[in-house]
Amino acid sequence: MGIDELYPAARLAAAQRATAAAGLDALLLTPGSDLRYLTGYDAHEGERLTCLVLPAAGEPTLIVPVLERPAAEASPAPATGVRIVDHADGTHPYPLLRAALPGPVATVGLADRMWAEQVLALRAALPDAAQRLASEVLRELRIRKSPAEVAALAEAGAAIDAVHRRMGEWLRPGRTEAEVAADIAAAIRAAGHVTVDFVIVAAGPNGASPHHGTSDRPIRAGEPVVVDIGGTMPSGYRSDCTRTYVAGGPAPAEFTDYYAVLHAAQRAAVAAVRPGVTAEAVDAAARDVISTAGYGDAFLHRTGHGIGLDTHEEPYVVAGNPRPLEAGMAFSVEPGIYLAGRHGARIEDIVVCTTDGGQRLNTTPTELIAL
């Protein structure tokens, strides 16, 4: 998996064709996953303007602060064919942006998460241009992963699986959630990630909050512990995997009963994945099992989210999303059951839709894990 395969030059041309088809004159992309998707450049996000100017027709230009030009030139961006232009501190960069646009522009697409101060500056620099979201164009390009992207996600999945396999080294009664999380974070980096994106260690009643994080509360014997972890690999692609553990004693009978329901629900949703099945049907495959067992109100969130250069991206596996799955779509399958004040559980795998089904990219056991 070479970097030229992950960030091929052909993406810029495809994006230009899609920009024209969407009725946009240009895309203007500041640091973030869209910029990295098109150029391979993991740009620093700051008050100095970095912006890819991608006209519907014409030469793409990457505008960077002069002190960041070496990083831009060392990235895959030059190999994609972009022209790099820099600006020094104390100079105004927006005239460079205007000069990079070939002729008048009526409508531009802005990076969805562009800073408000940059949006307003662009409005002043291009007063006659309507502003729309770049995701109108890029969503459809990014939603189906190439074989190289699937390989990058599989590499990320294997790295986070390696961390889960070591959980017995750290998770034991008497240690706090925060102490366990610190060990996990170090292991995430040791497994090959360049950044730790999140570490959730949620024991006992904290497990009933899906986005709990960590606390200084000691883990008690027999308490269920939800561990949801993920990071970013050197490729830029992300990992995200959740397993539920019990350390130092038997889990409450009530918990083991509903964990069996959750396990069946997660397996049913993974089994439902194949081309043509809608995202909402995969959500329903998990939700129906949980609701039939009487825990429907305890399943608090969607079944899954897309993953790639962002941890959360299209497609979203949720009720009300009728989009049919296609080969190359990658997303989490992560139903959960949460009983407020008592405990909770979640099982999460990243799954890629293949030409005839679904492939789990996380391969550690999904049964309740006793440590």
Side-chain angles (χ1 to χ4, degrees):
M1 180 183 61
I3 201 72
D4 55 333
E5 295 176 279
L6 267 181
Y7 299 106
R11 275 189 188 160
L12 284 170
Q16 287 182 299
R17 291 192 296 271
T19 298
L24 296 171
D25 295 302
L27 300 183
L28 304 176
L29 304 177
T30 46
S33 57
D34 286 337
L35 174 60
R36 189 168 190 179
Y37 177 77
L38 291 179
T39 68
Y41 180 36
D42 184 19
H44 172 74
E45 188 175 46
E47 72 281 2
R48 297 177 176 94
L49 180 70
T50 293
C51 186
L52 173 67
V53 181
L54 185 70
E59 185 180 29
T61 301
L62 180 61
I63 298 169
V64 300
V66 66
L67 75 167
E68 293 169 15
R69 182 169 189 139
E73 290 179 336
S75 79
T80 67
V82 301
R83 176 175 64 108
I84 298 177
V85 174
D86 61 55
H87 58 94
D89 281 358
T91 62
H92 193 50
Y94 289 92
L96 295 176
L97 186 148
R98 184 64 190 87
L101 292 166
V105 292
T107 311
V108 293
L110 306 186
D112 287 24
R113 298 172 189 174
M114 182 181 288
W115 288 7
E117 65 183 14
Q118 295 165 338
V119 173
L120 295 177
L122 284 170
R123 189 173 295 171
L126 303 169
D128 298 324
Q131 296 177 339
R132 284 161 49 188
L133 293 177
S135 59
E136 294 179 35
V137 171
L138 296 176
R139 180 188 301 117
E140 288 304 308
L141 298 180
R142 291 181 55 181
I143 198 168
R144 287 170 295 274
K145 271 53 181 180
S146 68
E149 289 180 284
V150 172
L153 285 169
E155 180 183 45
I160 210 68
D161 282 354
V163 179
H164 272 294
R165 290 191 184 97
R166 296 181 59 192
M167 207 59 58
E169 298 176 31
W170 316 303
L171 203 165
R172 54 185 179 271
R175 302 197 76 206
T176 68
E177 294 172 342
E179 288 170 339
V180 173
D183 289 331
I184 291 172
I188 289 173
R189 292 188 180 91
H193 298 81
V194 292
T195 60
V196 179
D197 295 334
F198 54 90
V199 178
I200 294 173
V201 179
N206 291 336
S209 174
H211 282 175
H212 162 69
T214 65
S215 74
D216 291 328
R217 181 184 181 279
I219 297 166
R220 299 172 185 170
E223 279 188 331
V225 184
V226 179
V227 178
D228 184 351
I229 54 179
T232 303
M233 299 293 285
S235 65
Y237 287 78
R238 310 290 185 103
S239 64
D240 186 2
C241 183
T242 309
R243 294 291 183 261
T244 302
Y245 301 88
V246 177
E254 174 190 39
F255 175 81
T256 56
D257 288 345
Y258 75 71
Y259 190 89
V261 172
L262 179 65
H263 187 255
Q266 204 260 355
R267 291 180 65 183
V270 172
V273 174
R274 62 183 181 278
V277 171
T278 63
E280 63 185 356
V282 176
D283 179 88
R287 202 166 300 276
D288 289 351
V289 173
I290 292 171
S291 296
T292 298
Y295 294 100
D297 291 342
F299 185 3
L300 305 176
H301 52 73
R302 64 195 174 207
T303 292
H305 55 81
I307 190 169
L309 288 169
D310 288 315
T311 305
H312 288 188
E313 59 183 54
E314 300 279 355
Y316 291 101
V317 183
V318 63
N321 183 1
R323 174 138 194 176
L325 300 181
E326 301 173 54
M329 291 182 176
F331 44 86
S332 67
V333 175
E334 53 175 308
I337 295 175
Y338 310 95
L339 303 187
R342 286 178 279 178
H343 31 61
R346 183 165 62 257
I347 305 169
E348 176 184 18
D349 292 317
I350 301 304
V351 177
V352 175
C353 184
T354 65
T355 56
D356 58 359
Q359 176 190 357
R360 290 173 60 225
L361 298 186
N362 300 105
T363 59
T364 56
T366 54
E367 291 79 14
L368 183 61
I369 302 168
L371 300 175

